[in-house]
Amino acid sequence: MSSSAGAPAGAQNGSGWYLYGVVAAGYSPTGFLSGVSVDPAHEVEFLTEGSLTALASRVSLAEFDEPSLLERLNDPAWLEQKIRAHEQVLERALGSTSVVPFRFCTVYRSEAELRRFLGERSEELEGVLRRVEGKVELGVKAFVDRDRLALTLAAGDDALREIESRAAAAEGGRAYLERRRAERLVSQELERFAAEAVGACHARLLAVAEEGTLGPRQSAELAGRSDQMLMNGAYLVRADERRFEEAVEDLRREYAHLGVGFEITGPWPPYNFVPREVGVS
Amino acid sequence: MSSRDLDAYRPGQATGPAPAQLADVLERVLDKGIVIAGDIQVNLLDIALLTVNPRQLIASADKAKEMGIDWWEGNAFLSKGDGEGVLEQRLRRLEDAAGIEPDRAKRASLRERSGE
């Protein structure tokens, strides 16, 4: 990444267009997004070009140009506020139309440039819209109480019970070695269980979804929980589909005794089911 | 309009319109969604399009860790480095019952590491 040293000073005072997402043309509810935008001075506008409408709002380049962004992104309060605004704009649209979400901080220098992008990439964007039409993304996170799972697994494992009793009977260095051995066994057992469970759950959910993907597990601090994340899945589901929730409910029932719980989040704009990049030639 | 419709298919939030977990929003808005013509634009002011890759920016930022924005670094599953795992506790109980002092086991471990 290069620095933007030597930038014309005037640009710092200019404005750009922040692009949240694209929907099919014809979508322009009144009073839709009052008060929700990444820059409170400017409300969301609908810019239609051919068959597509961009959800966008003006932003100050003093705030969103790269040199400033580098600083702002280090400001957790700023980042959370803007990220939530981005999400809220798309969520509101998602209530009544299909949405193609764009990445945080996609900023054009002018309305004309944004319109040109819509025009030049219309086929590609229409294709993406068709793919997500009538669908939403649902997140499914599974959490596990590690201690409870370890106890349950250990209780049914003869080899482990034997090693543990040996560890109990041993003394000194011998006890230490037995103990390490038992720890390793439990860890292996937990990993094996996790891999199997995630595979099985993902397959079950895929069967009632259009598409699905497994993302990186969030750390406990990030997820704000004491138990650990076992699975972090995202699924593209028809907005009127109910079998998906039923499938999650089934999983809840089946895994409860192992200390595994499931959470559904969303509906989200289909962030995980749009191409990573558009317009790369 | 939209909020009602949305609530209708908010199965995980039946108790009310609780805001989404920040982590879930972050991993989507910062890391997913369409990027136009590449993540990083060089000399932004010379070109029409400004896009940045916040993930990269944040990964290099000091405060990222304070915020806990490190999901892409992965996390060791079911790891428990603080010695408070269920097995540790269980073994400590067993050690107690067997009259083994944990310190003795530690010393044994040191001897073992230094070549027995």
Side-chain angles (χ1 to χ4, degrees):
Chain A
M1 185 187 334
S2 86
S3 86
S4 301
Q12 292 301 309
N13 299 321
S15 67
W17 283 85
Y18 185 108
L19 173 61
Y20 302 86
V22 168
V23 300
Y27 175 71
S28 61
T30 50
F32 160 72
L33 291 166
S34 287
V36 182
S37 69
V38 294
D39 184 342
H42 304 286
E43 306 225 312
V44 172
E45 297 183 36
F46 306 93
L47 306 179
T48 299
E49 196 64 34
S51 62
L52 302 168
T53 293
L55 305 183
S57 66
R58 282 181 190 276
V59 288
S60 153
L61 288 184
E63 189 172 21
F64 280 90
D65 211 349
E66 191 192 30
S68 348
L69 263 182
L70 285 167
E71 286 175 32
R72 311 254 184 215
L73 291 167
N74 276 320
D75 176 353
W78 184 90
L79 188 62
E80 175 166 6
Q81 187 192 4
K82 302 308 175 190
I83 280 184
R84 286 204 183 273
H86 180 112
E87 168 59 16
Q88 277 165 23
V89 167
L90 294 181
E91 269 193 26
R92 290 204 187 176
L94 190 66
S96 51
T97 190
S98 301
V99 174
V100 174
F102 278 70
R103 187 80 56 96
F104 184 61
C105 286
T106 301
V107 180
Y108 282 89
R109 295 194 61 75
S110 69
E111 181 181 337
E113 295 291 348
L114 175 45
R115 287 186 182 277
R116 194 167 74 191
F117 165 74
L118 290 181
E120 284 177 358
R121 299 294 161 186
S122 59
E123 262 183 53
E124 215 169 336
L125 292 170
E126 282 161 12
V128 179
L129 255 178
R130 273 195 300 276
R131 184 180 164 199
V132 301
E133 192 174 4
K135 297 164 195 164
V136 294
E137 176 176 322
L138 294 178
V140 176
K141 298 183 288 183
F143 292 91
V144 64
D145 178 336
R146 181 194 190 268
D147 290 355
R148 187 164 160 201
L149 176 60
L151 281 177
T152 310
L153 294 179
D157 190 317
D158 293 342
L160 189 58
R161 277 210 309 273
E162 195 192 320
I163 288 189
E164 283 193 335
S165 60
R166 234 185 291 158
E171 288 189 12
R174 175 89 193 138
Y176 174 79
L177 291 178
E178 294 290 356
R179 182 175 150 164
R180 297 305 303 176
R181 210 176 141 197
E183 279 169 13
R184 267 200 308 278
L185 248 164
V186 167
S187 287
Q188 282 167 12
E189 191 61 14
L190 287 170
E191 287 293 346
R192 189 195 55 76
F193 169 85
E196 277 182 20
V198 170
C201 293
H202 186 51
R204 290 264 294 274
L205 295 175
L206 277 178
V208 287
E210 305 286 316
E211 294 176 56
T213 179
L214 290 176
R217 292 181 292 246
Q218 296 165 359
S219 66
E221 301 103 294
L222 188 63
R225 306 178 55 119
S226 59
D227 46 5
Q228 296 198 44
M229 188 175 278
L230 184 68
M231 169 179 142
N232 188 15
Y235 300 88
L236 188 66
V237 177
R238 294 210 58 83
D240 54 7
E241 175 65 80
R242 286 295 172 272
R243 282 182 308 161
F244 190 82
E245 283 102 289
E246 289 165 19
V248 174
E249 196 49 50
D250 289 344
L251 292 176
R252 272 193 192 113
R253 274 195 296 270
E254 291 169 34
Y255 282 86
H257 73 285
L258 292 165
V260 178
F262 294 84
E263 261 179 34
I264 301 184
T265 64
W268 302 92
Y271 289 104
N272 280 284
F273 304 98
V274 294
R276 277 193 87 76
E277 293 174 286
V278 160
V280 179
S281 41
Chain B
M1 55 78 245
S2 57
S3 62
R4 282 251 174 272
D5 296 348
L6 215 58
D7 287 345
Y9 36 103
R10 249 185 206 291
Q13 307 195 352
T15 49
Q21 287 274 329
L22 181 60
D24 297 333
V25 183
L26 282 175
E27 71 177 10
R28 287 177 167 83
V29 176
L30 278 186
D31 204 35
K32 306 289 176 189
I34 294 179
V35 174
I36 303 166
D39 269 343
I40 305 288
Q41 298 296 343
V42 185
N43 195 6
L44 293 169
L45 297 173
D46 282 346
I47 55 166
L49 174 67
L50 318 179
T51 63
V52 296
N53 183 344
R55 170 171 157 171
Q56 219 153 354
L57 298 179
I58 289 171
S60 66
D62 296 341
K63 290 195 179 160
K65 292 255 167 153
E66 285 173 31
M67 279 188 72
I69 307 177
D70 58 352
W71 67 85
W72 56 80
E73 290 173 3
N75 59 89
F77 173 62
L78 300 177
S79 62
K80 203 117 185 190
D82 55 9
E84 289 304 314
V86 63
L87 187 69
E88 288 88 335
Q89 290 166 7
R90 202 169 168 188
L91 279 166
R92 213 168 297 131
R93 284 197 297 274
L94 292 171
E95 282 169 343
D96 289 348
I100 303 168
E101 296 166 29
D103 281 349
R104 236 174 105 193
K106 266 187 203 144
R107 281 198 299 275
S109 115
L110 287 175
R111 280 199 302 275
E112 178 196 331
R113 270 183 227 154
S114 60
E116 314 209 6

